[in-house]
Amino acid sequence: MKWLHKDLLDVSQLSKSEVMSIFETAGRFQELQERPVKKVPTLKGRSVILFFAEPSTRTKTSFDVAGKRLSADTFSLAKSSSSLTKGETLKDTALTLQAMAPDAIVIRHWCSGAARFLANRLDCAIINAGDGRHAHPTQALLDSFTLHQEWGDLAGKTILILGDIAHSRVARSNVILLNKLGAKVRLCAPRTLLPHGVKHWPVKVYSDLNEASKGVDAVMCLRLQLERQKDGLLPDLREYSRTFGLGQRHIDLANPDVKIMHPGPMNRGVEIASDLADCADSLVLDQVSSGVVTRMALLFLYMTRKGEE
Amino acid sequence: MAKIDLIVRRAKLDGKEVDIFVSKGKIVEVKKSAETIDAGDAKVEEAFGLTVMASMTDVHVHLREPGFEYKEDVESGLRAAAWGGFSNILCMANTKPVNDDDSVTKLMLEQARKFWPKGPRLFPIGALTKGLKGEELAPMAELAEAGCAAFSNDGVPVKSTELFRRAMEYASDWDKVVIDHCEDPYMGVAAGVNEGVVSSRLGLPAQPDMAEALQVARDVLLAEYLELPIHLAHISCRKSLDLIRFAKERGVKVTAETAPHYLVLTEDYLENEATEYDTNAKVNPPLRTLDDQNAMLEGLNDGTIDCLATDHAPHAAHEKETEFDVAPCGITGLDTALSVTWQLVKDGKLKKEAFTRAWTTAPCEIFKLPVNTFQPGDPADFFLFDEAEEWTVEPQALHSKGKNTPLLGTTLKGRVKTHFIQGKKIV
């Protein structure tokens, strides 16, 4: 198939059938992961720059592994080593990267819209690996792919996203994608951690986690940034974990086969009870392995779109 | 009768073709165009096909000098004003150093006299508090004496209501109006985006409309209590409009301005595919909703909003071409304000009388500035305007150094062809 998009900025750009193509491609790479030799020459000679202006270990490693398994050359530019700390503007960094002629740039940045900023200026593919509070499309795709592997179709399933929605790019992208795939989305958070415009979103909002948990098919916990207390959004972590931390009592109210997810890194005992993260219904590690194959699929689709039929 | 030294021939004024007779910088007579005239020694300006309008006054401009001359300076700012149709400009105090000392006021005026001796006239606005820090009163007597026309803490609202009250009282001793930038000092400060659907979707820290309205409420209550005038800068939302209307009905001496960008753009601009996260639309107060836009037009038409002002806020290209969170707030306006607002008149959205009041008589009355209403004795401040000329808003078409406007790339109608201030051609 011919891939139409130059960049992946958010899941809102993708049609449902394009999402299905991504899943199908990821599924093929999944089989590959079960072989002793996991590397294929698909992107040999192509280069990917991993430009992480915000610290990240998992996402960056996941992209790095994905690129290398496809035989692409991956280069890292992290905040600590980058000229960003020397006061270079994002524009100049972007143009410098462009001059190195990569086939794709994976960007993680603390500002919403930073991926769009690069995409508007550079010719290579831009893959958004998280921009500010705005979007984290590859996370949303790997989350839905994980559920897709479990269930097949997501249509009609009810998924609860729990935690700091206001500051979460993961939540924003997941709300869009899950709706696109026909799932029903619930959000649960204190009002202080919900965006003001949430009333316009295609979701059902709960402030009571017990109510929110009733009959759900999956729960996605979000990481709570510990500085929210200082921002005046929460009294303290103890109260938060007592009222909005996911525990066994909530799982008992959910669908018996409920799946538990977390994009990581987890604050065990804050947003999720420690034993739940490790239980049989937890998909946390499946998300990690889905992450690699989803990102392989994305690198493949976005980096081979020119001229190769 | 005074000796006529300038005659503007066959200019269109309110739809009629007129001849304008000027002597020593003042209007002597405006009358229906004659077939032929005896000009004597007077200079004759043929204006056939052009519209003549009274020069406008912009009470809210950032000229950036001293301190930020790379963004704008007095020379380039006044050039943009001259070509934009403005004869009077009030410039804000957030320079470096801040205009809280008469040496700064004098420098601004010196630059204006040096580069634009015939106008546009520059009226600096003095700082309300030292360094705009909101801690101690600025030396307003000294500043007024040096030529400051009003006082304002500009974009840094005074947090202490007690100090702000004292500043209003003290400014009144020098017969000056205080201009307040209404923004709650703690709510979404200078976020540059309206809190609502768009900000929630884009994941940007945002400012709710009530952050402005709260401060409007404080100010009108203070103005009523102190029986002093107050002028509210760049009003952007319906909630503020309602409060101002309520205050005016009670007889409070409150006046207000809004800016052209609030009349033609809304927060949706930031969500359009082509202009998503366009930092040129990052402005404080932020672009609001369609309902707020309609409210601003209603307010101008019914007089609740007295003035138009550009809040001309030039920034260098590299400052705006950056991450949204990092970019400074501000839109330039001197070059585009006339075309944009005159188009609203043509489209029937803004009444002609409201346009004239908001750009000429109201601001001049509030700040006691010279104004032309084409009556005998008025200053001969007017420009000739080609209403039909289309132009594209491109960086090279703007006289200001600041090219930061979300109107870049759009086509506007109407350009100033020549501009007279006190009967002298300035451009």
Side-chain angles (χ1 to χ4, degrees), chain A residues 219-268:
Chain A
V219 183
M220 293 180 175
C221 294
L222 300 174
R223 177 179 171 79
L224 183 78
Q225 297 295 336
L226 304 176
E227 66 262 23
R228 301 297 170 228
Q229 185 179 331
K230 273 184 267 150
D231 296 341
L233 301 173
L234 293 174
D236 55 40
L237 292 184
R238 177 169 166 271
E239 179 150 309
Y240 182 81
S241 67
R242 282 162 60 111
T243 45
F244 294 97
L246 188 72
Q248 187 58 45
R249 65 201 162 96
H250 308 112
I251 295 307
D252 294 341
L253 294 166
N255 182 317
D257 297 323
V258 66
K259 301 298 173 197
I260 298 162
M261 305 173 81
H262 194 299
M266 287 185 279
N267 297 305
R268 287 176 183 259

Side-chain angles (χ1 to χ4, degrees), chain B residues 290-348:
Chain B
L290 187 60
D291 180 58
D292 294 308
Q293 184 179 101
N294 290 332
M296 292 305 98
L297 286 164
E298 284 165 31
L300 278 167
N301 282 327
D302 71 18
T304 308
I305 305 230
D306 303 82
C307 311
L308 277 160
T310 60
D311 191 9
H312 178 78
H315 291 293
H318 71 268
E319 294 172 309
K320 280 287 198 179
E321 197 174 0
T322 181
E323 299 91 321
F324 197 89
D325 288 341
V326 174
C329 288
I331 292 177
T332 57
L334 286 171
D335 283 285
T336 54
L338 170 61
S339 303
V340 165
T341 51
W342 186 245
Q343 188 64 44
L344 290 168
V345 174
K346 302 284 250 188
D347 294 344

Side-chain angles (χ1 to χ4, degrees), chain A residues 153-269:
Chain A
D153 202 354
L154 271 66
K157 298 285 188 182
T158 302
I159 293 149
L160 169 64
I161 305 178
L162 169 65
D164 183 359
I165 312 290
H167 303 88
S168 175
R169 53 192 172 221
V170 176
R172 279 181 178 75
S173 288
N174 263 314
V175 165
I176 297 168
L177 185 60
L178 292 170
N179 270 286
K180 205 178 283 266
L181 298 177
K184 286 178 255 175
V185 182
R186 295 181 184 179
L187 303 180
C188 183
R191 178 91 184 248
T192 51
L193 297 182
L194 287 168
H196 182 75
V198 76
K199 56 182 180 278
H200 302 286
W201 289 10
V203 296
K204 226 174 149 188
V205 180
Y206 294 80
S207 54
D208 178 344
L209 182 52
N210 289 320
E211 282 301 310
S213 304
K214 280 182 188 161
V216 296
D217 298 297
V219 183
M220 293 180 175
C221 294
L222 300 174
R223 177 179 171 79
L224 183 78
Q225 297 295 336
L226 304 176
E227 66 262 23
R228 301 297 170 228
Q229 185 179 331
K230 273 184 267 150
D231 296 341
L233 301 173
L234 293 174
D236 55 40
L237 292 184
R238 177 169 166 271
E239 179 150 309
Y240 182 81
S241 67
R242 282 162 60 111
T243 45
F244 294 97
L246 188 72
Q248 187 58 45
R249 65 201 162 96
H250 308 112
I251 295 307
D252 294 341
L253 294 166
N255 182 317
D257 297 323
V258 66
K259 301 298 173 197
I260 298 162
M261 305 173 81
H262 194 299
M266 287 185 279
N267 297 305
R268 287 176 183 259

Side-chain angles (χ1 to χ4, degrees), chain A residues 10 12 90-91 109-114 116-117 121 131 133-134 172 176 195-198 200-201, chain B residues 195-197 199-206 272-274 276-277 318 320-326:
Chain A
D10 197 4
S12 53
L90 182 57
K91 182 190 174 188
H109 199 285
W110 48 278
C111 287
S112 300
R116 158 76 65 191
F117 183 92
R121 286 165 179 78
D131 63 326
R133 307 172 184 179
H134 172 232
R172 279 181 178 75
I176 297 168
H196 182 75
V198 76
H200 302 286
W201 289 10
Chain B
E195 183 167 284
V197 189
S199 68
S200 299
R201 171 73 198 87
L202 294 178
L204 290 171
N272 295 342
E273 167 100 28
E276 201 184 51
Y277 296 105
H318 71 268
K320 280 287 198 179
E321 197 174 0
T322 181
E323 299 91 321
F324 197 89
D325 288 341
V326 174

Side-chain angles (χ1 to χ4, degrees), chain B residues 67-100:
Chain B
F68 306 100
E69 291 84 351
Y70 67 97
K71 297 176 194 256
E72 188 86 289
D73 54 31
V74 171
E75 188 282 318
S76 63
L78 291 184
R79 176 156 27 99
W83 283 106
F86 296 96
S87 58
N88 300 320
I89 292 293
L90 272 67
C91 65
M92 279 292 174
N94 63 339
T95 46
K96 190 177 168 187
V98 164
N99 185 15
D100 61 0

Side-chain angles (χ1 to χ4, degrees), chain B residues 97-106 127 138-139 142-143 146 148:
Chain B
V98 164
N99 185 15
D100 61 0
D101 183 292
D102 68 355
S103 62
V104 180
T105 312
K106 285 173 184 164
E142 170 187 308
L143 291 167
C148 285

